């Protein structure tokens, strides 16, 4: 998600304002959103079975491929690519917390 404002208060606390995204299940069911939902569920299933190589061989949008390729450099046991860790910016899938 895009950070719109971040500031530290005099008392040491921080304030961060981020863009408003649409929850995974609440996005309008357009053809693009439906396709990305299906893709994400397939990715989650494959990762659950430890098949990162199979995931990286899937046909997916370049941005999602780049994110997954980057994350694959780390211990893939830490990945949490699933519905509760994704949202939508319009019709674009956004990962909100892909690692434990």
């Amino acid at each position: 998600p895009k950070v719109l404002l971040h500031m530290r208060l005099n008392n040491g606390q921080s304030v961060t304002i981020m863009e408003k995204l649409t929850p995974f299940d609440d996005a309008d069911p357009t053809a693009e959103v439906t396709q990305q939902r299906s893709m994400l569920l397939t990715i989650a299933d494959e990762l659950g079975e430890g098949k990162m190589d199979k995931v990286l061989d899937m046909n997916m949008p370049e941005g999602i491929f780049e994110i997954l390729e980057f994350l694959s450099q780390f211990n893939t046991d830490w990945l949490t690519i699933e519905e509760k860790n994704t949202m939508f910016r319009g019709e674009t899938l956004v990962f909100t917390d892909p690692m434990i």
Side-chain angles (χ1 to χ4, degrees):
K2 295 177 183 175
V3 174
L4 304 175
L5 172 73
H6 179 79
M7 60 188 247
R8 185 168 299 270
L9 303 176
N10 290 335
N11 65 5
Q13 293 180 323
S14 294
V15 175
T16 303
I17 299 174
M18 301 173 76
E19 71 178 310
K20 184 175 180 174
L21 299 171
T22 304
F24 185 83
D25 291 329
D26 293 345
D28 291 334
T30 64
E32 182 71 18
V33 167
T34 301
Q35 179 184 12
Q36 290 189 57
R37 281 182 178 148
S38 176
M39 177 192 61
L40 179 82
L41 296 174
T42 301
I43 289 170
D45 288 344
E46 297 294 344
L47 288 176
E49 295 177 16
K51 299 178 181 176
M52 177 56 95
D53 290 342
K54 191 169 180 180
V55 168
L56 293 176
D57 286 339
M58 291 174 57
N59 183 18
M60 65 182 83
E62 183 65 27
I64 293 175
F65 176 80
E66 288 178 15
I67 291 167
L68 294 174
E69 184 179 45
F70 172 77
L71 293 173
S72 73
Q73 298 174 46
F74 302 96
N75 183 343
T76 55
D77 292 340
W78 297 350
L79 292 178
T80 57
I81 305 295
E82 55 191 50
E83 295 173 54
K84 67 181 181 178
N85 295 330
T86 56
M87 299 179 90
F88 281 92
R89 176 187 302 119
E91 292 185 329
T92 302
L93 188 65
V94 177
F95 295 97
T96 56
D97 187 17
M99 298 183 84
I100 297 175

